[in-house]
Amino acid sequence: MPVVHHALVLNLHQPHGNLEQLLASKPWEAREILYAYDRIARFLWAYEDTARVHLSPSGSLLETLSCSAFQQNVYGIVDCGALLWHLQNRSIIDILGTAYYHPILPLIPEADREEHLRRWQGIAQHLFWREAFPGFWPPEMGFSMTLIPLLKRLGYRYVLVDCEHVRALTPMTEAERLYRPHIARLGSDEIIVVVRDRQLSGAMADGLDYPAFQQLVAERTGHCDFEPLVTTACDGENGAWFRNTDDEANFWGGFYRHLLDDARDGGDIRPVFLSDYLDRFGTLGEVTVTTGAWNTEWHDGREFAQWTGSEAQQHTLDRLAVVSAEVHDAMQAAGQRELGGQEQSVLEEAHWRLLRAETSCNFYWDEDWVARANRDLDDAEATLRRFRAKKYLIDADPGWHDAGEPSCGVAGSIAD
């Protein structure tokens, strides 16, 4: 069997206010999540020569972890400042770009997509001390070909997509389709597509041991006459496999340590950064990617049924499009005249509420969380009404906050 290059990708996300609510209502669950984040870099320190891990932290998670009030609240559980600092270690961790509030990009209005990406880049550049992030992780792996021009314009070299949606345009074997990067084009724009192995990702996330993983990899790459790139991707803080505080019974000690030890001893599976594999081996052929997401517990990701299947979900998505158009119309009209500082802050607040309403979690849980999206849309519309009525009185507190939530880097509030 040829050397297998393994790219591990972990998605890290918490919706706005979720960790604060868990700390109040389910403190041990909140601790498990925070411990899961904190142990990543700490575990990998001993393997700087071997470990290569890609992380995609959402903007709302980064906002929470970097908030001084939240940091003070959880000090003694984890040191969030140290946690963020340790994630800057480029020897073991590569940060992937994503969208700020973790929306499924093909489901939200096109006018909102760039702002999600730019806001994420803003906070990530500040926290991770770098200008460029070559790889892009679409939230929920929700991808469509229409995203390619935007990703290229914002400087991304490659994007991760789920294997179930990749269709070959260049003649290639099934092994080549799954285990080589490819090019996807829309008009004059192109981007490198890195293919996630759905079966291996699911098996890894479910808690298999390393010998079983080795066997699966050998079976699935057995027809490769090249050095394959096997990409596994899953959430990095959900489920007992990642949250377990017993080092021998969680993902890191129960699985990844054995992979790293084997790689050190010359084993066939070698961790790799995606950029390094691309620099060495390049791409194979051209593909197209059908619109869809990764698989969830209940759906296969096609047609986004997990997020659009109920009447309430669809109604809220339709409403989101209407409110988005209203916000952008107001912003366009405001752009034709010079706004005062208070006017600008109010309009920014309406825009911010709209973007937060688009969080994928608001639609994931069938109808359970749809109300959260509608509350933000209610607030966005109310803010626009006040903006049009020229009620610009700004709260003395520069950071708007919900009751019981910290004020962290968000737009100012307005008074009736």
Side-chain angles (χ1 to χ4, degrees):
M1 185 174 83
V3 169
V4 174
H5 301 274
H6 176 235
L8 173 63
V9 181
L10 298 178
N11 172 56
L12 309 177
H13 168 60
Q14 292 295 316
H16 174 82
N18 196 56
L19 280 175
E20 295 90 336
Q21 292 174 14
L22 287 175
L23 281 168
S25 62
K26 300 178 180 179
W28 177 245
E29 184 175 349
R31 284 173 175 259
E32 285 184 316
I33 294 170
L34 289 168
Y35 293 150
Y37 296 144
D38 192 53
R39 75 169 60 95
I40 295 173
R42 295 180 184 277
F43 172 83
L44 296 174
W45 285 341
Y47 293 94
E48 284 199 351
D49 61 322
T50 310
R52 304 292 182 265
V53 177
H54 305 78
L55 301 178
S56 175
S58 69
S60 52
L61 173 61
L62 293 177
E63 181 182 295
T64 297
L65 295 177
S66 62
C67 170
S68 59
F70 182 81
Q71 290 181 351
Q72 292 172 14
N73 193 28
V74 301
Y75 194 78
I77 301 174
V78 298
D79 182 340
C80 291
L83 187 163
L84 291 168
W85 176 258
H86 296 154
L87 295 185
Q88 294 184 37
N89 188 334
R90 299 193 194 192
S91 297
I92 51 177
I93 293 170
D94 192 18
I95 302 295
L96 301 178
T98 188
Y100 195 96
Y101 282 113
H102 203 267
I104 297 182
L105 292 167
L107 287 183
I108 68 172
E110 187 174 352
D112 296 332
R113 298 171 187 174
E114 183 166 350
E115 188 65 18
H116 275 286
L117 271 59
R118 289 197 180 276
R119 289 190 182 207
W120 184 89
Q121 286 183 337
I123 193 171
Q125 288 167 350
H126 171 70
L127 292 176
F128 298 118
W129 289 75
R130 67 196 72 171
E131 291 296 318
F133 300 87
F136 186 79
W137 171 266
E140 312 285 6
M141 297 201 87
F143 182 78
S144 76
M145 296 285 285
T146 59
L147 294 173
I148 293 175
L150 174 60
L151 296 178
K152 290 299 293 183
R153 187 164 67 250
L154 270 64
Y156 289 107
R157 181 186 186 189
Y158 66 86
V159 60
L160 288 111
V161 300
D162 189 82
C163 65
E164 294 300 309
H165 308 300
V166 178
R167 307 288 182 265
L169 298 179
T170 301
M172 63 183 71
T173 66
E174 180 67 359
E176 289 171 331
R177 184 184 72 88
L178 291 173
Y179 303 122
R180 287 292 306 272
H182 307 289
I183 296 291
R185 291 187 175 91
L186 185 68
S188 61
D189 294 300
E190 65 179 45
I191 195 165
I192 296 172
V193 166
V194 172
V195 183
R196 173 213 188 214
D197 187 308
R198 177 179 287 196
Q199 181 176 337
L200 282 173
S201 297
M204 184 189 72
D206 287 342
L208 85 171
D209 60 24
Y210 180 59
F213 182 77
Q214 282 180 300
Q215 182 176 345
L216 275 175
V217 170
E219 292 172 357
R220 292 180 65 76
T221 62
H223 295 291
C224 294
D225 57 0
F226 54 92
E227 295 189 21
L229 172 65
V230 172
T231 302
T232 57
C234 64
D235 290 331
E237 76 277 77
N238 291 328
W241 189 222
F242 284 94
R243 293 187 186 182
N244 197 321
T245 56
D246 181 349
D247 284 341
E248 298 305 315
N250 62 32
F251 170 84
W252 299 103
F255 172 78
Y256 202 55
R257 173 181 287 120
H258 301 290
L259 187 155
L260 296 176
D261 287 340
D262 185 55
R264 271 183 173 172
D265 292 339
D268 294 324
I269 301 176
R270 314 278 178 83
V272 70
F273 283 139
L274 290 166
S275 291
D276 291 340
Y277 184 93
L278 291 170
D279 289 343
R280 181 178 174 188
F281 296 102
T283 60
L284 173 65
E286 184 173 351
V287 299
T288 188
V289 183
T290 59
T291 299
W294 62 0
N295 53 307
T296 68
E297 187 175 353
W298 301 282
H299 294 286
D300 64 7
R302 288 180 291 183
E303 300 179 358
F304 303 115
Q306 179 74 52
W307 301 270
T308 64
S310 75
E311 184 177 347
Q313 289 169 322
Q314 192 58 60
H315 172 77
T316 305
L317 287 168
D318 292 342
R319 185 188 177 203
L320 193 153
V322 172
V323 176
S324 175
E326 293 175 352
V327 169
H328 286 281
D329 285 347
M331 293 172 63
Q332 184 176 5
Q336 298 173 4
R337 60 189 178 87
E338 186 174 344
L339 293 183
Q342 292 182 330
E343 286 182 284
Q344 186 65 45
S345 294
V346 172
L347 196 54
E348 281 292 326
E349 182 178 324
H351 194 195
W352 161 67
R353 299 295 188 95
L354 165 68
L355 297 175
R356 196 176 79 174
E358 295 168 341
T359 302
S360 68
C361 301
N362 291 342
F363 301 91
Y364 180 85
W365 300 106
D366 195 16
E367 301 184 6
D368 292 348
W369 277 34
V370 166
R372 300 184 182 213
N374 281 301
R375 283 197 297 270
D376 270 330
L377 293 176
D378 289 343
D379 290 338
E381 289 187 314
T383 304
L384 279 180
R385 289 194 295 270
R386 292 166 180 164
F387 175 80
R388 293 176 182 127
K390 300 187 183 301
K391 293 184 178 182
Y392 303 136
L393 180 61
I394 306 298
D395 193 329
D397 180 354
W400 180 90
H401 56 94
D402 297 317
E405 293 181 3
S407 169
C408 295
V410 294
S413 63
I414 58 179
D416 292 318

